[in-house]
Amino acid sequence: MPIRTRITLAQARRIALAAQGLHEGRPAAASRRHLSRALQRSHLLQIDSVNVLVRAHYMPLFSRLGAYDRGLLETIAYHRRRRETFEYWGHEASLIRLDLQPLFRWRMARAARGEGIYGGLARFGREKRAFIEEVRREIALRGPIGAGELSIGGKGQGSWWGWSDGKRALEWLFWAGEVTTAARRGFERLYDLPERVLPPEILNAPTPSAEEAQRELLRLSIRALGIASERCLRDYFRLEPQDAKARIPELVEAGDLIPVTVEGWGPVYLDPQAKIPRRVEARALVSPFDPIVWERTRTERLFDFRYRIEIYTPAEKREFGYYCLPFVLGERIVARTDLKADRAAGNLIVHSIHPEAGVTPEEIAPALGDELRLMTEWLNLGSITAPKEWRRRLQV
């Protein structure tokens, strides 16, 4: 079979959607096996503190599986004997497939040397080694515990970045792989030693060289993306540009990446195992932290969809809303919806809906209404509030 070197933009979109499992129908009732399969495909789930709708790591599974039991994710994330993930810096803070832990040891080793981490934290690590070791001993003695339970290190200053010295020490130890997340209490990390959290077969697995680990992470990236530029590939696991630039030619030579051309986007690489469906019938609200829209330039090239999250934009300067979710329908991103879960009132608030240029409300309303009702059920909310001009169309 000849190697394909030219891919149309429509084919590239279908490849990208299929790589993330958005071409498949949802199960009638998602089981732990379905969650595990989705995680095998995406490799990780990004964690973020924003909770205006639902925590970020829950949403990609909803987009692909529908109204699954969120307790199943808690089980595979934190249950001691059924754990399938560990927390570390993958694509930002992430729940990462447990079997991939050895591939991040080079990053942990760099962090321990003060490389690849925030400058202030690196400096803290150099200047406060004795204090950090004291914090580690307390975790060994008392863990799992939260940062606020440390007997040393003082209190933070109240803001997100107003960390105490104890919290800084824990973050340094986390980056260096010397402590990990045993569980979460609400959204607070409970820290413990890796040997008390991760299975022995993971801890005892061989440590690959930094170069081989980076090659494997890039192989996993192209598998999850289907088709990608160098920038997209390194963004998936947040590899440094110099590391990606060194490894990608090696993967091309080995046949793990196939250089291809796509009109208006290039140079790009194709997964040699990529599926190119003839048609994709996707229907999904995706969060701002979904792999489909992680790398914004890729989203623009593939879907002609310019996307920026406006959480950090002053209210008067927002164009679409505080927490807008792209709506994927068929093979396109057709709209963005600004959503909020009012848990006290049991209500899903649809602040606004913005169809893309050339898309009419009538084209998207039936499918979007179904998706909003499914989300309401999933979040255990009892009602939906939508803009007046959309209520009849959405049938809410």
Side-chain angles (χ1 to χ4, degrees), residues 81-229:
R81 292 184 178 84
R82 303 173 73 185
R83 180 186 296 268
E84 297 180 29
T85 71
F86 74 107
E87 281 194 25
Y88 192 59
W89 296 98
H91 185 92
E92 300 295 329
S94 303
L95 284 167
I96 306 171
R97 276 172 40 193
L98 187 57
D99 61 305
L100 303 185
Q101 193 269 353
L103 299 181
F104 290 88
R105 292 176 189 166
W106 64 275
R107 181 169 284 172
M108 296 171 184
R110 283 188 181 180
R113 297 192 299 269
E115 301 170 13
I117 60 176
Y118 310 121
L121 193 59
R123 187 166 55 254
F124 183 86
R126 290 192 301 271
E127 297 172 357
K128 300 279 191 175
R129 281 299 174 95
F131 176 78
I132 290 170
E133 184 54 34
E134 195 175 345
V135 169
R136 188 187 183 283
R137 283 196 296 269
E138 182 164 354
I139 295 294
L141 182 66
R142 299 179 55 208
I145 61 173
E149 297 170 281
L150 287 171
S151 64
I152 56 175
K155 298 289 185 182
Q157 299 304 308
S159 70
W160 181 255
W161 295 107
W163 287 353
S164 66
D165 277 358
K167 174 62 174 173
R168 288 188 183 93
L170 285 170
E171 286 300 311
W172 189 94
L173 288 164
F174 183 82
W175 264 106
E178 294 188 32
V179 301
T180 191
T181 307
R184 282 189 179 252
R185 182 168 51 208
F187 194 65
E188 180 191 16
R189 275 191 193 136
L190 299 182
Y191 297 89
D192 207 345
L193 302 181
E195 54 265 36
R196 295 204 294 241
V197 174
L198 306 181
E201 61 269 23
I202 298 298
L203 293 171
N204 296 331
T207 300
S209 67
E211 294 78 12
E212 181 48 43
Q214 291 159 10
R215 280 190 288 270
E216 184 58 22
L217 289 173
L218 288 165
R219 290 185 194 104
L220 293 169
S221 299
I222 194 62
R223 192 65 45 79
L225 294 169
I227 190 166
S229 67

Side-chain angles (χ1 to χ4, degrees), residues 336-395:
R336 57 194 94 202
T337 62
D338 185 18
L339 301 180
K340 178 181 179 179
D342 184 345
R343 297 171 185 85
N347 187 39
L348 179 66
I349 301 172
V350 184
H351 287 300
S352 61
I353 301 170
H354 300 273
E356 286 297 284
V359 177
T360 67
E362 288 70 26
E363 288 179 78
I364 64 174
L368 180 56
D370 287 345
E371 206 65 9
L372 292 170
R373 283 186 288 274
L374 186 66
M375 178 174 284
T376 303
E377 172 194 338
W378 178 54
L379 296 179
N380 299 313
L381 303 173
S383 59
I384 302 173
T385 299
K388 183 178 180 180
E389 67 273 20
W390 281 91
R391 290 176 201 159
R392 180 182 55 81
R393 292 181 176 124
L394 297 171
Q395 296 182 9

